[in-house]
Amino acid sequence: MQQGVIHHIEINVSNLKRSVTFWGWLLEELGYEPFQRWEMGQSWKIAETYIVFVQTDEPFMDVPYHRRRVGLNHLAFHASSRQQVDKLTKMLKENDVKILYTDKHPFAGGQEHYAVFFEDPDRIKVEVVAP
């Protein structure tokens, strides 16, 4: 294993079922495979890295996530091509997922940065970037 490569990322979610539905199709489109599943969580893996979604405990479910607070701002994934970014954008729209920066899409990150930006069910910003 290469030093410094992320081992895993764990994200607490307000509604596990809703998050699994959202993230499952997206991660599998990006090449991840289902990895672990238990009553309060589920994960997907690609190579040696996995992403875990865990149901938030009851006392914390009403505290909303906001990317502008201290902590995670967003997750960005590599796409295989501009065509894959376009395909994902179409799928996101068909599923009524909020696309961010629509006035600048697909160059919201700059003229050399072909990507789609959107939000997951807990409003975590996600980015998929073409090479």
Side-chain angles (χ1 to χ4, degrees), residues 12-23:
N12 290 342
V13 297
S14 64
N15 182 311
L16 182 62
K17 183 177 179 181
R18 185 177 65 186
S19 290
V20 163
T21 298
F22 176 87
W23 283 98

Side-chain angles (χ1 to χ4, degrees), residues 64-77:
Y65 165 84
H66 198 291
R67 67 180 175 268
R68 308 283 313 260
R69 293 186 185 137
V70 172
L72 177 73
N73 178 274
H74 72 282
L75 294 172
F77 297 89

Side-chain angles (χ1 to χ4, degrees), residues 11 18-34 42 44-46 51 53 75-80 84-93 95 97-99 116-121 124-129:
I11 300 173
R18 185 177 65 186
S19 290
V20 163
T21 298
F22 176 87
W23 283 98
W25 76 266
L26 175 64
L27 292 173
E28 289 173 28
E29 283 287 327
L30 294 172
Y32 286 74
E33 295 182 3
Q42 189 164 338
W44 283 263
K45 185 174 185 177
I46 191 167
I51 300 177
F53 301 91
L75 294 172
F77 297 89
H78 289 283
S80 62
Q84 186 179 34
V85 169
D86 294 341
K87 177 184 175 187
L88 291 173
T89 301
K90 182 179 183 227
M91 294 171 77
L92 291 162
K93 288 178 180 179
N95 287 290
V97 174
K98 182 178 181 178
I99 306 292
V116 60
F117 295 82
F118 52 98
E119 291 182 340
D120 89 334
I124 294 174
K125 183 167 73 171
V126 184
E127 176 182 0
V128 180
V129 185

